[in-house]
Amino acid sequence: MKMSFAKILVVLVAALVLAAPQSVQAADLKGDLEIFSWWAGDEGPALAALVEIYKKQNPGVNVINATVTGGSGVNAKAVLKTRMLGGEPPDSFQVHAGQELIGTWVKSDRMEDLTPLFKEMGWMEVFPEGLIKLIGTDKGIWSVPVNIHRSNVMWYVPANLQKWGVNVPQNWDEFFVAADKLKAEGVVPLALAQNWTANHLWESVALASMGGDKWDALWSGKLAFDSPEVVKAWELFGKVLSYTNTDASSLSWQQATDMVINGKAAFNIMGDWAAGYMTVTKKLVPGEGYGWAASPGTAGQFMFLADSFCLPKGVKHRDNAIAWLKVLGSKEGSDTFNPIKGSISARIDSDLSKYNAYLQSAASDFGKDHVVGSLAHGVAANETFMGGFASVMEMFLKSKNPTAAAKACAQLAKKAGI
Ligand code: GAL
């Protein structure tokens, strides 16, 4: 069917009119946007790339990038709590998908429902159903996920392992054999940093010790925290700790990673933000400058976490915050942010050609592995449990008493409603 010139003109004008409100509105936004996270310093470049996109789309908005340094949000979360309780919410803040969001902020009725935004942007179809469940309840959807990180990864420098005549251990028994050899040569077998990284290490060790199904059972209340399986995990963890550096509590996660890069330590177990750090900050080539493997005994298991941003109730710049969330959830935003961050996209339609060799392997594992939720990074338990677990860890680092730690966790689980 042929269209007359006049008809084409009418269609074009109509299309322009329909498109106009959105773009005019975006360009019209004014005032501030305060975003809050712990992505400062070495952790900042990926966030900065998102802010860049936002500024291009919303040139009239002044972005206040409020950050509080400290891996896994150890310091930021305390500041955030004070602000939220004091009625001074940032316009949008970083929060982990799962219980950290639902069991903490949604439960206390501090979040706006983002279901209309998800529908408007077509996000119900592009985010995996399982992930939407983790950020949703029967009353709404409460945040926009920006990534998928993997927690159970072991990092090393291939050339160093070759020099020391050590292979990548597939399980903890193999690790202990390699570790004794390394120790004898004056090399720290496993680099560790401040206490939250001990929580991080614990979840990898516990996953290896009890397996994915029991790990899941723990968080759904079907396996008791003081059961023999969990005591055994604490025992193994105690043994693993004896192969770590003694100055751990004074180091950041980046400094523990540096120990591996500099050849002071052989291995490090850290989430794949370490890949972002080694690639972007340290300019190492994945597969050459650094290597990776699932942490010992966890091949076939993908312990995941997802960073997301939310819209607190009563913020000062709501429209600017919604425009921010739109950038985060977009394909462009996601495929710009994640290759720098060291994570894979939370969207199912991401362009993998933009991702490096490590991230492509993570994406492939995520597609085929048994996926379980991280404790240290908010998926498995709420803030009540996580705060208490940090104290149990402090106690364990001093006492090394597996039964006492398991019992304390059982009490904690009751208090946190697990
Ligand atoms: C995690 C967070 C990651 C990374 C890491 C280290 O909790 O999800 O994105 O920032 O902490 O700080």
Side-chain angles (χ1 to χ4, degrees):
M1 188 190 72
K2 266 193 173 176
M3 258 195 185
S4 71
F5 179 67
K7 264 191 188 163
I8 292 174
L9 205 66
V10 170
V11 171
L12 272 179
V13 170
L16 281 176
V17 169
L18 279 177
Q22 223 188 357
S23 42
V24 170
Q25 193 194 28
D28 267 1
L29 290 174
K30 296 260 179 312
D32 292 340
L33 165 75
E34 192 198 9
I35 50 172
F36 183 91
S37 77
W38 59 87
W39 289 333
D42 291 330
E43 291 214 68
L47 180 64
L50 280 178
V51 170
E52 191 95 335
I53 298 179
Y54 181 85
K55 280 186 176 160
K56 258 190 214 137
Q57 290 180 8
N58 305 281
V61 178
N62 172 42
V63 180
I64 303 166
N65 187 359
T67 52
V68 179
T69 322
S72 88
V74 273
N75 306 319
K77 285 181 190 173
V79 175
L80 177 69
K81 200 169 167 191
T82 311
R83 288 191 56 171
M84 291 294 283
L85 293 178
E88 288 286 326
D91 296 319
S92 183
F93 66 81
Q94 175 188 0
V95 60
H96 288 122
Q99 280 305 305
E100 184 179 313
L101 168 72
I102 304 296
T104 312
W105 299 116
V106 176
K107 198 172 159 206
S108 57
D109 198 22
R110 303 284 173 155
M111 295 293 116
E112 274 206 41
D113 176 16
L114 300 174
T115 308
L117 184 65
F118 271 67
K119 291 204 170 133
E120 179 196 336
M121 303 305 287
W123 290 343
M124 302 304 284
E125 286 74 46
V126 295
F127 291 116
E129 213 186 313
L131 184 57
I132 292 187
K133 274 198 187 132
L134 276 176
I135 51 171
T137 60
D138 55 355
K139 297 210 170 59
I141 301 177
W142 308 100
S143 70
V144 178
V146 285
N147 64 7
I148 303 283
H149 266 307
R150 186 176 194 176
S151 158
N152 60 321
V153 195
M154 178 177 245
W155 308 97
Y156 55 89
V157 173
N160 286 346
L161 294 196
Q162 212 178 0
K163 187 173 80 192
W164 298 320
V166 160
N167 291 325
V168 180
Q170 303 301 307
N171 54 50
W172 285 108
D173 285 340
E174 284 183 25
F175 172 85
F176 294 134
V177 173
D180 285 330
K181 188 170 177 196
L182 289 161
K183 241 183 167 176
E185 291 190 34
V187 178
V188 174
L190 190 66
L192 191 67
Q194 62 191 123
N195 287 10
W196 74 263
T197 71
N199 302 343
H200 186 102
L201 176 61
W202 184 84
E203 66 184 18
S204 269
V205 173
L207 180 63
S209 177
M210 64 179 78
D213 289 340
K214 292 212 165 137
W215 176 262
D216 286 340
L218 201 55
W219 303 108
S220 57
K222 291 186 189 120
L223 179 70
F225 279 83
D226 50 3
S227 63
E229 289 92 330
V230 188
V231 175
K232 210 171 135 212
W234 280 105
E235 279 165 8
L236 177 60
F237 179 66
K239 186 165 179 195
V240 171
L241 279 183
S242 68
Y243 289 94
T244 57
N245 43 307
T246 48
D247 61 349
S249 65
S250 65
L251 303 184
S252 67
W253 69 263
Q254 290 95 331
Q255 287 172 312
T257 309
D258 289 345
M259 286 177 69
V260 175
I261 299 172
N262 301 337
K264 286 205 177 105
F267 300 104
N268 180 27
I269 290 178
M270 188 38 61
D272 46 14
W273 42 92
Y277 173 68
M278 288 189 279
T279 313
V280 176
T281 308
K282 295 289 163 176
K283 310 264 180 282
L284 298 175
V285 177
E288 291 170 28
Y290 68 90
W292 64 89
S295 57
T298 67
Q301 313 273 351
F302 192 112
M303 186 170 269
F304 101 104
L305 59 119
D307 293 299
S308 70
F309 277 78
C310 59
L311 180 63
K313 283 186 173 166
V315 298
K316 291 201 189 96
H317 312 98
R318 188 174 179 277
D319 289 347
N320 295 353
I322 290 174
W324 167 246
L325 296 176
K326 284 183 180 174
V327 172
L328 299 184
S330 69
K331 186 165 152 74
E332 183 197 1
S334 191
D335 283 342
T336 304
F337 173 83
N338 285 300
I340 308 174
K341 183 68 174 62
S343 39
I344 54 175
S345 175
R347 294 178 56 120
I348 55 177
D349 59 352
S350 83
D351 177 359
L352 275 181
S353 70
K354 296 199 167 130
Y355 292 72
N356 66 32
Y358 165 71
L359 291 168
Q360 288 183 1
S361 86
S364 145
D365 288 350
F366 187 65
K368 58 178 199 283
D369 282 3
H370 177 198
V371 177
V372 296
S374 158
L375 161 67
H377 307 280
V379 183
N382 59 20
E383 289 283 341
T384 306
F385 189 91
M386 284 167 74
F389 189 82
S391 308
V392 174
M393 184 55 77
E394 298 258 353
M395 180 185 89
F396 185 79
L397 291 176
K398 288 194 197 104
S399 74
K400 308 275 164 45
N401 183 333
T403 319
K407 273 198 183 136
C409 283
Q411 301 262 314
L412 201 53
K414 249 189 228 153
K415 194 171 147 201
I418 296 173

